[in-house]
Amino acid sequence: MNRERGKVYVVDDDSDIVCGMSQLIRAEGLDVEDFNSPVKFMAYMKNAELPDSATCILLDMSRPEVEGLGVQHFLKTLGDIHPVIFISSHGDVHTTVRAIKAGAMDFLEKPFGEEELISIIRKALEESRLLRRQNEMRAEAIRRVASLTHKEKEVLEYILAGFLNKQIADALDIVEGTVKTHRGRVMEKMGVQSVPDLVRVSQIAGVSPAELNDIL
């Protein structure tokens, strides 16, 4: 069966568990990289280049060096595109709730079945692909906004607030024809042909009419 490749990071100091999971994951056509220490894993991730494929992390919940939730918090600072599956020998309701609230994709208590593990990994890798696409869209939207001149950015903000060309001209103390010129350039640079699309891309980039509070 032709499967789309992905990469799984395994962070657990139990060598037998790591060996068994790694063999199973590789048999599914996925890449595996394992770490016996969360500190080593965090050091690696801090300096590593982002893999070309989707990724997910199998992370032991409780380690003497750094608790799993601490590693989860660290991963969020890197962009939060690596879905985490927490694993533990001491899972309970409280721990599970904490893990899910911290953003865990799922929670597995040892021992767990092979089919259950692979199913969750596949789900996490699909989530990783979605997060990557969203990040790429956000980065592109931010790049487009950054290409606007200061005046074009002002016009954009007024457009998002629902102002008409004449109202924008009055607010910026310029002629309406100049507003139309700026508006056309905004649409071109933002790569859109309609106001709804302009609003959508602007929202992805983090630009909103709320920024007008200091202007109006």
Side-chain angles (χ1 to χ4, degrees):
M1 180 181 298
N2 183 24
R3 295 180 182 272
E4 184 177 352
R5 295 190 69 82
K7 185 167 187 176
V8 182
Y9 297 102
V10 180
V11 187
D12 195 316
D13 62 0
D14 188 325
S15 58
D16 291 335
I17 292 290
V18 170
C19 181
M21 287 194 298
S22 297
Q23 289 180 352
L24 177 63
I25 294 168
R26 288 193 179 95
E28 289 293 309
L30 302 172
D31 295 325
V32 183
E33 192 154 359
D34 57 76
F35 299 83
N36 61 9
S37 160
V39 173
K40 292 179 181 178
F41 172 66
M42 289 189 292
Y44 171 85
M45 293 298 288
K46 184 176 181 179
N47 300 307
E49 293 185 3
L50 194 64
D52 294 332
S53 58
T55 61
C56 72
I57 299 165
L58 290 171
L59 176 62
D60 194 10
M61 188 70 184
S62 301
R63 293 270 54 85
E65 296 172 288
V66 181
E67 187 186 43
L69 292 175
V71 180
Q72 169 75 357
H73 176 74
F74 165 77
L75 290 170
K76 287 181 178 295
T77 68
L78 302 181
D80 201 22
I81 61 170
H82 308 283
V84 175
I85 303 166
F86 279 120
I87 53 179
S88 175
S89 299
H90 311 288
D92 56 26
V93 174
H94 176 65
T95 303
T96 302
V97 170
R98 288 178 64 206
I100 298 300
K101 284 186 175 180
M105 180 77 190
D106 217 317
F107 187 97
L108 286 172
E109 184 174 0
K110 303 173 185 176
F112 42 80
E114 294 182 356
E115 291 186 3
E116 180 183 16
L117 175 63
I118 294 302
S119 175
I120 290 176
I121 287 176
R122 290 291 180 191
K123 181 180 177 182
L125 291 176
E126 186 56 38
E127 177 69 13
S128 175
R129 294 182 187 100
L130 175 61
L131 291 171
R132 283 167 177 268
R133 287 194 294 271
Q134 291 175 341
N135 278 8
E136 290 170 357
M137 290 173 60
R138 185 178 301 111
E140 175 60 20
I142 292 173
R143 185 196 66 77
R144 293 179 184 180
V145 171
S147 72
L148 301 177
T149 65
H150 176 70
K151 189 60 69 176
E152 289 166 353
K153 177 77 181 305
E154 286 184 317
V155 170
L156 169 62
E157 291 172 338
Y158 279 106
I159 294 172
L160 297 179
F163 280 53
L164 302 176
N165 288 346
K166 186 177 186 307
Q167 294 172 315
I168 297 174
D170 292 340
L172 296 179
D173 195 24
I174 57 179
V175 299
E176 188 173 350
T178 301
V179 172
K180 291 180 180 178
T181 298
H182 286 314
R183 188 181 187 119
R185 290 173 179 166
V186 167
M187 300 292 282
E188 180 181 358
K189 290 183 178 181
M190 294 294 285
V192 299
Q193 297 184 355
S194 68
V195 171
D197 284 342
L198 181 65
V199 172
R200 177 182 58 80
V201 175
S202 298
Q203 288 177 336
I204 292 173
V207 182
S208 70
E211 296 182 19
L212 292 170
N213 290 340
D214 295 332
I215 300 175
L216 298 177

